[in-house]
Amino acid sequence: MRLRPFSLGLTTPLETARGPIERREGFLVSVDPGADGESVPAPGLGEATSLPGWTESRSACETALNGVTAEADGSELVTDAVSRLDPAETPAARHGLALALADAAARDAGRSLTEHLAENEGLPTPAETVSVNATIGDGNRDATVTAAENAIEEGFTCLKIKVGARALDADVERLRAVRRAVGDGVALRADANGAWDRETAREAAERLAPLGLAYLEQPLPADDLDGAAALRTVGSGVDPGADTDADPPVPIALDESLASNGVDAVLDAGAADAVVLKPMALGGPDRALAAATRAREAGVEPVVTTTIDAVVARTAAVHVAAAIPEVTPCGLATGSLLDADLAPDPCPVSDGAVAVPTGPGLAGDAFDDLP
Ligand SMILES: [Mg+2]
């Protein structure tokens, strides 16, 4: 196993509830059969790009991966190393190695990573394309409408609009204006990144219900699962029993709550209609797909997105999403946030969707020339 550090800047710093993100620094993780050819069946490539707040720190990630290398000898690496990386403590490190080994196994079998992941999870043949959402920032009403119209022009049919940075009145007006501009056929999501208190979130859910949002993401702080569960029943009618024309509740999606509480606590609490799964934060593509399966079994829609990763992990996230049967549009159009990348993107966004690389492994020979 070999680690190669990298550092990539963002085109513009991204403000988040957990501070601004200015760079993405991580490691490419390579595994190689070596001389005896037995430790791994084929070369494999992974990416470990930590994002504190979501994963361990970069140094903890490096320490964990170097620890595995130091402890492992040859054949033990394949079978045991991943199990020594705790997905709760060092999810990015585990993602890096689990992806490299899955890529190696898929290459050895001559099939794509998504086929490999789906078969291991007992899922049917994966999709050939995955729809993705456009992300629209927290500009004023006119800027928001313009960005929405541009995204529709580019072929997107699902828009995620940032809310919560302005007064609720302004956000409601922005979303109403977008709905008027793009019509009812476009799926609209709003992401508040945990900005609201319970009272504001309840008012938002009532006022947004008539707009038919696909979902409202992380309206409350990450730890407020009870509050999120209660919001799932808030429609536009004060008393739905008395008003048969009341709009149904806005579905609630949770994202930051998964990093704070874990997927299973969110599912057990009945806190979400949808969960946003980040393979890097969950400890690997295999664990993200398993979480998606558990969510579906609980009647919760899984959505796959990235932690603004480099191209290797983004491509892996595409494979994860493709393996989820009839997955809803995913947050995989994040490559444009980086001002440079490690290699050309083997699955660029086109017409609001990405074509899943056919393999073998992650993307055939697309990453073979990485330095
Ligand atoms: Mg989010």
Side-chain angles (χ1 to χ4, degrees):
M1 186 181 83
R2 188 160 69 101
L3 298 186
R4 285 168 287 170
F6 65 82
S7 176
L8 303 169
L10 266 61
T11 49
T12 43
L14 188 71
E15 298 298 331
T16 77
R18 293 165 189 190
I21 303 172
E22 291 171 355
R23 302 194 69 75
R24 301 295 293 118
E25 299 185 312
F27 301 91
L28 286 172
V29 181
S30 309
V31 294
D32 209 278
D36 62 5
E38 289 181 357
S39 57
V40 289
L45 182 66
E47 178 186 324
T49 310
S50 54
L51 185 61
W54 293 94
T55 74
E56 74 275 29
S57 68
R58 185 172 186 274
S59 66
C61 178
E62 182 173 24
T63 300
L65 286 167
N66 281 333
V68 162
T69 321
E71 285 173 43
D73 67 359
S75 61
E76 191 205 14
L77 182 64
V78 185
T79 51
D80 294 342
V82 163
S83 66
R84 284 204 302 274
L85 293 169
D86 183 344
E89 293 296 322
T90 54
R94 191 189 179 283
H95 181 283
L97 185 55
L99 173 54
L101 293 173
D103 182 39
R107 281 175 179 247
D108 183 53
R111 59 187 179 179
S112 67
L113 178 62
T114 191
E115 290 167 331
H116 172 78
L117 294 169
E119 185 178 298
N120 281 359
E121 189 62 23
L123 293 166
T125 305
E128 293 176 5
T129 62
V130 175
S131 289
V132 301
N133 67 263
T135 300
I136 293 172
D138 66 351
N140 67 23
R141 189 188 64 176
D142 289 350
T144 303
V145 169
T146 300
E149 289 173 336
N150 289 343
I152 300 302
E153 193 107 313
E154 289 172 36
F156 289 94
T157 57
C158 179
L159 311 179
K160 186 177 88 162
I161 298 164
K162 174 134 173 79
V163 296
R166 293 164 185 268
L168 182 58
D169 281 346
D171 277 337
V172 170
E173 190 44 48
R174 290 168 66 228
L175 290 167
R176 282 179 183 155
V178 170
R179 179 56 90 202
R180 277 196 300 272
V182 304
D184 289 337
V186 172
L188 297 184
R189 300 166 170 175
D191 188 355
N193 293 111
W196 291 326
D197 59 23
R198 285 186 176 188
E199 190 186 341
T200 308
R202 184 179 178 88
E203 187 187 341
E206 287 172 357
R207 295 175 68 184
L208 296 176
L211 297 181
L213 297 188
Y215 58 65
L216 174 57
E217 183 172 328
Q218 200 66 52
L220 293 165
D223 286 331
D224 192 1
L225 298 186
D226 290 344
L231 277 183
R232 294 180 60 207
T233 63
V234 176
S236 65
V238 175
D239 177 0
D243 178 2
T244 51
D245 291 334
D247 297 292
V250 179
I252 301 298
L254 293 181
D255 180 358
E256 285 87 343
S257 286
L258 274 66
S260 303
N261 302 274
V263 180
D264 295 304
V266 168
L267 298 178
D268 290 346
D273 297 284
V275 285
V276 180
L277 305 176
K278 295 173 159 70
M280 192 68 71
L282 291 169
D286 52 338
R287 287 181 51 83
L289 189 57
T293 302
R294 296 202 301 284
R296 275 275 170 84
E297 287 166 1
V300 175
E301 264 314 290
V303 179
V304 179
T305 185
T306 78
T307 37
I308 315 179
D309 306 315
V311 66
V312 173
R314 286 204 316 277
T315 302
V318 168
H319 285 284
V320 172
I324 301 170
E326 292 176 46
V327 72
T328 192
C330 286
L332 298 169
T334 62
S336 58
L337 297 170
L338 298 173
D339 74 358
D341 210 335
L342 302 172
D345 196 328
C347 40
V349 177
S350 174
D351 254 351
V354 293
V356 184
T358 52
L362 269 164
D365 60 7
F367 300 135
D368 286 358
D369 294 331
L370 282 176

